[in-house]
Amino acid sequence: MKTKFLYYTECACPALMFPVGLKGLGAQVVIPIEDGPCEGGLINGNIKPLGADWNTMHLLGITSDVLAKYQITTDDGAVLDLFTDGRLKVMWDKVPKNLLGLKHYFSDYVYFREFLYYHTNDERYKWLEDTPCFAMIGMKLTIKDKKPYFLISYYAYAIEEID
């Protein structure tokens, strides 16, 4: 499989969850997405502070189904609507006790991958609409403006060719 590197981002989300209700085997919550840069690849710009994650947190506490919707404004003026669909799985039995306070990235203990779907009216980026894309994600708890935030970081890729 050949891929193209799209961008790296560190996106800020308040460590604040708004409960919506029960859905299937879990509790559904909404987490606002505030902002973050997109840089280093084919897409450079910023995430607009108007999106959110819609999470279904499974009652057993080991997985969360994650749907997100937000926008990226590129440095060259395009607006990309981004929809994601993925799953977070924490392997709590493998997390050392000193990391349970969410003070570090859990890349070795968290399976967090998402499919990325783009929509745009800008012809320069229309190719993204028909291209399978994915992200490998990490997260940590940080402090911003004296409030706790999740810093979601990920590398986004487009699949160019499958062998």
Side-chain angles (χ1 to χ4, degrees), residues 91-108:
M91 295 170 278
W92 291 112
D93 59 325
K94 295 184 180 181
V95 178
K97 293 198 183 317
N98 64 333
L99 296 183
L100 288 175
L102 292 175
K103 294 179 182 166
H104 302 278
Y105 283 97
F106 280 161
S107 59
D108 293 337

Side-chain angles (χ1 to χ4, degrees), residues 35 37 42 73 135:
D35 59 9
L42 296 176
T73 301

Side-chain angles (χ1 to χ4, degrees), residues 141-157:
L141 190 65
T142 188
I143 302 297
K144 178 180 167 186
D145 301 326
K146 299 183 181 180
K147 296 178 185 170
Y149 274 78
F150 290 112
L151 187 61
I152 307 297
S153 61
Y154 68 84
Y155 292 91
Y157 295 91

Side-chain angles (χ1 to χ4, degrees), residues 3-163:
T3 61
K4 290 185 208 179
F5 175 55
L6 296 177
Y7 57 89
Y8 173 78
T9 188
E10 290 187 352
C11 181
C13 300
L16 166 63
M17 298 178 192
F18 298 97
V20 176
L22 295 177
K23 179 181 176 188
L25 297 174
Q28 193 168 30
V29 297
V30 175
I31 303 168
I33 297 172
E34 290 201 352
D35 59 9
C38 296
E39 55 197 15
L42 296 176
I43 298 172
N44 290 283
N46 286 290
I47 294 172
K48 287 184 163 183
L50 53 74
D53 277 349
W54 284 263
N55 284 274
T56 301
M57 303 173 91
H58 294 237
L59 297 176
L60 296 176
I62 57 171
T63 60
S64 180
D65 293 321
V66 181
L67 298 170
K69 296 179 183 179
Y70 50 102
Q71 276 188 343
I72 297 171
T73 301
T74 65
D75 289 347
D76 57 3
V79 175
L80 308 176
D81 291 323
L82 178 55
F83 306 89
T84 72
D85 185 1
R87 175 165 282 178
L88 168 109
K89 182 172 182 177
V90 180
M91 295 170 278
W92 291 112
D93 59 325
K94 295 184 180 181
V95 178
K97 293 198 183 317
N98 64 333
L99 296 183
L100 288 175
L102 292 175
K103 294 179 182 166
H104 302 278
Y105 283 97
F106 280 161
S107 59
D108 293 337
Y109 314 105
V110 174
Y111 173 83
F112 197 177
R113 307 292 184 260
E114 288 194 320
F115 296 102
L116 309 175
Y117 306 94
Y118 295 90
H119 177 73
T120 184
N121 290 327
D122 193 301
E123 290 300 321
R124 297 171 294 175
Y125 293 92
K126 274 289 196 194
W127 63 272
L128 283 168
E129 292 184 1
D130 297 321
T131 303
C133 300
F134 67 96
M136 297 179 297
I137 300 171
M139 70 176 176
K140 72 175 179 177
L141 190 65
T142 188
I143 302 297
K144 178 180 167 186
D145 301 326
K146 299 183 181 180
K147 296 178 185 170
Y149 274 78
F150 290 112
L151 187 61
I152 307 297
S153 61
Y154 68 84
Y155 292 91
Y157 295 91
I159 297 175
E160 194 173 49
E161 181 180 308
I162 297 176
D163 298 330

